[in-house]
């Protein structure tokens, strides 16, 4: 049986840490990186529970700076 999985890639150098994607994610996959900032001094988001990502793309849709790319892949179980 095949199941869809997602994977997100965050452009951490462009992320401003607004957390809109964190709120939008129904699976709680992403969170602000604790005590990490990018070259511009902003905290950024990262996938903390990547295996739970379903590829719904809610995070990428709400990102005002287009920092998140979402991929979907089929995995066999």
């Amino acid at each position: 049986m095949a199941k869809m999985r997602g994977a997100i890639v965050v452009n951490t150098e462009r992320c401003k840490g607004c957390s809109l994607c964190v709120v939008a994610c129904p699976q709680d996959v992403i969170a602000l990186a604790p005590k990490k900032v990018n070259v511009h001094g902003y905290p950024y988001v990262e996938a903390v529970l990547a295996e739970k990502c379903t590829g719904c793309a809610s995070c990428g849709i709400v990102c005002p700076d287009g920092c998140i790319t979402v991929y979907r892949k089929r995995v066999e179980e």
Side-chain angles (χ1 to χ4, degrees), residues 2-60:
K3 184 177 179 181
M4 293 304 286
R5 276 261 163 81
I8 64 169
V9 176
V10 179
N11 182 338
T12 57
E13 297 308 314
R14 290 183 56 199
C15 181
K16 294 180 182 168
C18 70
S19 295
L20 289 174
C21 57
V22 176
V23 174
C25 180
Q27 302 296 323
D28 296 324
V29 171
I30 42 186
L32 277 176
K35 301 180 183 178
K36 294 181 185 176
V37 294
N38 60 21
V39 295
H40 303 290
Y42 293 113
Y44 55 85
V45 296
E46 60 186 1
V48 292
L49 296 172
E51 67 280 354
K52 288 179 61 181
C53 183
T54 61
C56 72
S58 294
C59 56

